[in-house]
Amino acid sequence: MRTVLVVLFDDVQSLDVTGPMEVFAGAEKLAPGTYRIRTASLDGSPVRTSSGLTLVPDSTLADAPAPHTLLVPGGPGARGPDPRLTDWLREHGPRAERLVSVCTGALVLAEAGLLDGRRATTHWAYCEKFASDHPAVTVDPDPIYVRDGHVSTSAGVTSGIDLALALVEEDLGRDAALTIARHLVVFLRRPGNQAQFSAQLAAQTACREPLREVQQWITEHPGDDLAVESLAARARLSPRHFARAFRAETGMTPGRYVDRVRLEHARRLMEDTGDGIEEISRASGYGTPEAMRRAFFKTLGTAPAEYRRRFRPAPATGAR
């Protein structure tokens, strides 16, 4: 039995706690005797989450069982952790077989010196400060989670569910993780190196209506001619003016935005349909399977066929 110990503190983000706990609890129901889930705070007192929810821990940290998986959630309370908590983590963190953080919980691990020399991530809004405050940590702002040896860090909030599913898959296999994901009505499909944002969220929404319309057009027509000249004509601007205005208002170049939209579209088709790779490459605007393969390798580190094998959900055998 693997003990999963979740650390609680005031101003913790409630979903950072409950999201992964629901995943591990689902796994325990599926395979009884697999996980023992416990929560603990410094003195065993209830904690108030950042949303106002009160959580009652099972014990003090001092009385908590030795964990197999030690999970530190994030939230406002993680951005100025109690020194007693970092001291406890500094002593006990290295003893855990798996050390896990969700969102800004990575900042607490870093304060305890547990991420030095490792690659890690956190919520996108805190990556820059994270890197500045902890130069011994290699901070990667893009992935939804990063696994470096026995230490795993995840990005904002719901990515903790993705990471917990990956850990359950490691322990119990893909079928078990898929069953839990379907029960929670989430998808076991986001690889750790998937960007924290979709293309639409990664870019700011343009202020001017013609540019917003172009953004929407790109999203709805990834297989069309999306060269700057064509997009500029749609916005009724010169190519140079369009490219400059698009970058100023969205925070990325038109080409970068198009690349993200096409990859996201291709990824969805690989996950959700049985269409062939050649058909998907055309529909997503790549033109050839080789061009799509290069895009997948560059961003996701894997070939389209391997991506489909790993992340397309298996057909459900029945629903209740």
Side-chain angles (χ1 to χ4, degrees), residues 9 23 25-26 34 41 52 63 70 86 88-89 101 111 122 134 178-179 190 193 217 225 231 267 273 287 297 302:
F9 47 84
V23 172
T34 302
S41 64
D63 294 331
L70 178 58
T86 53
W88 186 90
L89 287 169
S101 70
E111 283 291 329
T122 189
H134 301 282
L178 280 170
T179 298
R190 297 204 297 174
N193 58 357
W217 171 266
D225 177 9
L231 298 176
R267 183 176 54 77
T273 76
F297 261 113
T302 188

Short mmCIF file of all heavy atoms in Angstrom, two decimals, residues 9 23 25-26 34 41 52 63 70 86 88-89 101 111 122 134 178-179 190 193 217 225 231 267 273 287 297 302:
data_model
loop_
_atom_site.label_atom_id
_atom_site.label_comp_id
_atom_site.label_asym_id
_atom_site.label_seq_id
_atom_site.Cartn_x
_atom_site.Cartn_y
_atom_site.Cartn_z
N PHE A 9 -2.10 23.74 4.61
CA PHE A 9 -1.71 24.98 5.28
C PHE A 9 -2.76 26.03 4.94
O PHE A 9 -3.52 25.88 3.98
CB PHE A 9 -0.32 25.44 4.83
CG PHE A 9 -0.11 25.40 3.34
CD1 PHE A 9 -0.52 26.45 2.52
CD2 PHE A 9 0.49 24.29 2.75
CE1 PHE A 9 -0.34 26.41 1.16
CE2 PHE A 9 0.67 24.24 1.36
CZ PHE A 9 0.25 25.31 0.57
N VAL A 23 -8.35 11.61 -7.58
CA VAL A 23 -7.73 10.63 -8.47
C VAL A 23 -7.22 9.43 -7.69
O VAL A 23 -7.51 8.27 -8.03
CB VAL A 23 -6.57 11.29 -9.26
CG1 VAL A 23 -5.79 10.21 -10.04
CG2 VAL A 23 -7.09 12.35 -10.21
N ALA A 25 -8.12 8.52 -4.68
CA ALA A 25 -9.26 7.83 -4.06
C ALA A 25 -9.96 6.94 -5.08
O ALA A 25 -10.40 5.83 -4.75
CB ALA A 25 -10.23 8.85 -3.47
N GLY A 26 -10.07 7.43 -6.31
CA GLY A 26 -10.67 6.61 -7.36
C GLY A 26 -9.85 5.36 -7.63
O GLY A 26 -10.40 4.27 -7.85
N THR A 34 -4.39 -0.28 -2.58
CA THR A 34 -3.31 0.34 -3.35
C THR A 34 -2.81 1.61 -2.69
O THR A 34 -1.60 1.84 -2.61
CB THR A 34 -3.79 0.67 -4.78
OG1 THR A 34 -4.23 -0.53 -5.42
CG2 THR A 34 -2.66 1.28 -5.59
N SER A 41 -1.45 18.90 8.72
CA SER A 41 -0.99 20.28 8.82
C SER A 41 0.06 20.35 9.93
O SER A 41 0.26 19.38 10.66
CB SER A 41 -2.15 21.23 9.12
OG SER A 41 -2.71 20.96 10.39
N GLY A 52 -12.16 29.90 0.97
CA GLY A 52 -12.98 29.96 2.17
C GLY A 52 -13.42 28.61 2.70
O GLY A 52 -14.06 28.53 3.74
N ASP A 63 2.98 13.60 13.36
CA ASP A 63 2.36 12.31 13.61
C ASP A 63 1.95 11.59 12.32
O ASP A 63 1.41 10.48 12.39
CB ASP A 63 1.12 12.48 14.49
CG ASP A 63 1.48 12.97 15.89
OD1 ASP A 63 2.59 12.66 16.36
OD2 ASP A 63 0.64 13.68 16.50
N LEU A 70 4.59 12.18 -1.31
CA LEU A 70 4.39 13.40 -0.52
C LEU A 70 3.99 14.52 -1.46
O LEU A 70 4.75 14.87 -2.36
CB LEU A 70 5.67 13.76 0.22
CG LEU A 70 5.67 15.03 1.07
CD1 LEU A 70 4.58 14.98 2.13
CD2 LEU A 70 7.03 15.24 1.71
N THR A 86 8.79 24.50 5.77
CA THR A 86 9.94 24.24 4.91
C THR A 86 11.00 23.42 5.64
O THR A 86 11.66 22.56 5.04
CB THR A 86 10.55 25.56 4.38
OG1 THR A 86 10.82 26.43 5.48
CG2 THR A 86 9.59 26.25 3.44
N TRP A 88 10.34 21.14 7.92
CA TRP A 88 9.83 19.77 7.94
C TRP A 88 10.06 19.10 6.58
O TRP A 88 10.49 17.94 6.50
CB TRP A 88 8.35 19.77 8.30
CG TRP A 88 7.78 18.38 8.47
CD1 TRP A 88 7.73 17.65 9.62
CD2 TRP A 88 7.21 17.55 7.44
NE1 TRP A 88 7.16 16.42 9.38
CE2 TRP A 88 6.83 16.33 8.04
CE3 TRP A 88 6.99 17.74 6.07
CZ2 TRP A 88 6.25 15.30 7.33
CZ3 TRP A 88 6.41 16.69 5.35
CH2 TRP A 88 6.04 15.50 5.98
N LEU A 89 9.78 19.84 5.51
CA LEU A 89 9.96 19.29 4.17
C LEU A 89 11.44 19.01 3.88
O LEU A 89 11.78 18.01 3.23
CB LEU A 89 9.40 20.25 3.13
CG LEU A 89 7.87 20.32 3.04
CD1 LEU A 89 7.44 21.48 2.15
CD2 LEU A 89 7.31 19.01 2.47
N SER A 101 4.49 18.30 -6.35
CA SER A 101 3.88 19.60 -6.04
C SER A 101 2.83 19.92 -7.09
O SER A 101 2.91 19.48 -8.24
CB SER A 101 4.92 20.71 -6.00
OG SER A 101 5.43 21.00 -7.28
N GLU A 111 11.89 26.42 -1.67
CA GLU A 111 12.34 27.06 -0.44
C GLU A 111 13.04 26.05 0.47
O GLU A 111 13.97 26.41 1.21
CB GLU A 111 11.15 27.68 0.30
CG GLU A 111 10.65 28.98 -0.28
CD GLU A 111 11.63 30.12 -0.09
OE1 GLU A 111 12.36 30.11 0.93
OE2 GLU A 111 11.69 31.01 -0.96
N THR A 122 5.72 25.48 -12.59
CA THR A 122 4.68 25.93 -11.67
C THR A 122 3.67 26.71 -12.49
O THR A 122 3.73 26.73 -13.72
CB THR A 122 5.28 26.79 -10.54
OG1 THR A 122 4.27 27.03 -9.55
CG2 THR A 122 5.80 28.12 -11.05
N HIS A 134 15.06 31.36 -7.42
CA HIS A 134 15.71 30.06 -7.21
C HIS A 134 16.56 29.70 -8.44
O HIS A 134 16.18 28.81 -9.23
CB HIS A 134 14.67 28.98 -6.93
CG HIS A 134 13.83 29.27 -5.72
ND1 HIS A 134 14.27 29.06 -4.44
CD2 HIS A 134 12.57 29.79 -5.61
CE1 HIS A 134 13.33 29.42 -3.58
NE2 HIS A 134 12.30 29.86 -4.27
N LEU A 178 -7.34 5.39 -17.16
CA LEU A 178 -8.42 5.77 -18.07
C LEU A 178 -9.78 5.62 -17.39
O LEU A 178 -10.67 6.45 -17.56
CB LEU A 178 -8.37 4.92 -19.34
CG LEU A 178 -7.35 5.34 -20.40
CD1 LEU A 178 -7.24 4.28 -21.47
CD2 LEU A 178 -7.76 6.67 -21.02
N THR A 179 -9.94 4.55 -16.65
CA THR A 179 -11.20 4.33 -15.94
C THR A 179 -11.47 5.47 -14.96
O THR A 179 -12.59 5.99 -14.87
CB THR A 179 -11.16 2.99 -15.19
OG1 THR A 179 -11.00 1.93 -16.14
CG2 THR A 179 -12.44 2.76 -14.40
N ARG A 190 -3.61 14.56 -21.79
CA ARG A 190 -2.66 15.67 -21.84
C ARG A 190 -1.28 15.19 -21.40
O ARG A 190 -1.06 14.89 -20.23
CB ARG A 190 -3.12 16.81 -20.93
CG ARG A 190 -4.43 17.43 -21.35
CD ARG A 190 -4.60 18.83 -20.86
NE ARG A 190 -4.63 18.92 -19.41
CZ ARG A 190 -4.66 20.09 -18.75
NH1 ARG A 190 -4.64 21.23 -19.42
NH2 ARG A 190 -4.71 20.10 -17.44
N ASN A 193 4.34 17.32 -21.40
CA ASN A 193 4.99 18.40 -22.15
C ASN A 193 4.02 19.20 -23.00
O ASN A 193 4.44 20.03 -23.81
CB ASN A 193 6.13 17.84 -23.02
CG ASN A 193 5.66 16.78 -24.00
OD1 ASN A 193 4.50 16.41 -24.00
ND2 ASN A 193 6.57 16.29 -24.81
N TRP A 217 -10.97 33.28 -37.21
CA TRP A 217 -10.88 32.63 -38.53
C TRP A 217 -9.77 31.58 -38.54
O TRP A 217 -9.95 30.48 -39.05
CB TRP A 217 -10.63 33.68 -39.61
CG TRP A 217 -10.32 33.10 -40.95
CD1 TRP A 217 -9.08 32.85 -41.48
CD2 TRP A 217 -11.24 32.62 -41.94
NE1 TRP A 217 -9.18 32.27 -42.72
CE2 TRP A 217 -10.50 32.12 -43.02
CE3 TRP A 217 -12.64 32.59 -42.00
CZ2 TRP A 217 -11.10 31.60 -44.17
CZ3 TRP A 217 -13.23 32.05 -43.14
CH2 TRP A 217 -12.48 31.58 -44.19
N ASP A 225 -5.28 28.77 -46.33
CA ASP A 225 -4.08 29.58 -46.53
C ASP A 225 -4.02 30.61 -45.41
O ASP A 225 -4.82 31.55 -45.36
CB ASP A 225 -4.15 30.27 -47.89
CG ASP A 225 -2.95 31.19 -48.13
OD1 ASP A 225 -2.00 31.16 -47.33
OD2 ASP A 225 -2.98 31.95 -49.12
N LEU A 231 -4.00 36.69 -44.34
CA LEU A 231 -4.62 37.16 -43.10
C LEU A 231 -4.72 38.68 -43.08
O LEU A 231 -5.72 39.25 -42.62
CB LEU A 231 -3.82 36.67 -41.90
CG LEU A 231 -3.73 35.15 -41.72
CD1 LEU A 231 -2.82 34.81 -40.55
CD2 LEU A 231 -5.11 34.53 -41.53
N ARG A 267 -3.66 17.67 -32.90
CA ARG A 267 -3.66 16.86 -31.69
C ARG A 267 -5.05 16.38 -31.34
O ARG A 267 -5.27 15.21 -30.99
CB ARG A 267 -3.06 17.67 -30.54
CG ARG A 267 -2.93 16.92 -29.25
CD ARG A 267 -2.24 17.75 -28.19
NE ARG A 267 -2.87 19.05 -28.02
CZ ARG A 267 -4.00 19.24 -27.35
NH1 ARG A 267 -4.65 18.21 -26.84
NH2 ARG A 267 -4.50 20.45 -27.22
N THR A 273 -10.45 11.16 -33.31
CA THR A 273 -10.93 10.52 -34.53
C THR A 273 -10.03 9.35 -34.93
O THR A 273 -8.93 9.19 -34.40
CB THR A 273 -10.97 11.52 -35.71
OG1 THR A 273 -9.64 11.74 -36.21
CG2 THR A 273 -11.58 12.85 -35.28
N GLY A 287 -0.15 20.08 -44.82
CA GLY A 287 0.10 19.69 -46.19
C GLY A 287 0.61 18.28 -46.34
O GLY A 287 0.09 17.50 -47.13
N PHE A 297 7.27 16.61 -33.21
CA PHE A 297 8.54 16.38 -32.55
C PHE A 297 9.07 17.65 -31.90
O PHE A 297 9.58 17.63 -30.79
CB PHE A 297 9.57 15.84 -33.55
CG PHE A 297 9.72 14.35 -33.49
CD1 PHE A 297 9.32 13.56 -34.55
CD2 PHE A 297 10.26 13.73 -32.36
CE1 PHE A 297 9.46 12.18 -34.51
CE2 PHE A 297 10.39 12.35 -32.31
CZ PHE A 297 10.00 11.58 -33.38
N THR A 302 7.42 13.85 -29.68
CA THR A 302 7.00 12.51 -30.08
C THR A 302 6.38 12.57 -31.47
O THR A 302 5.93 13.63 -31.91
CB THR A 302 5.99 11.93 -29.07
OG1 THR A 302 5.75 10.56 -29.37
CG2 THR A 302 4.67 12.68 -29.10
#
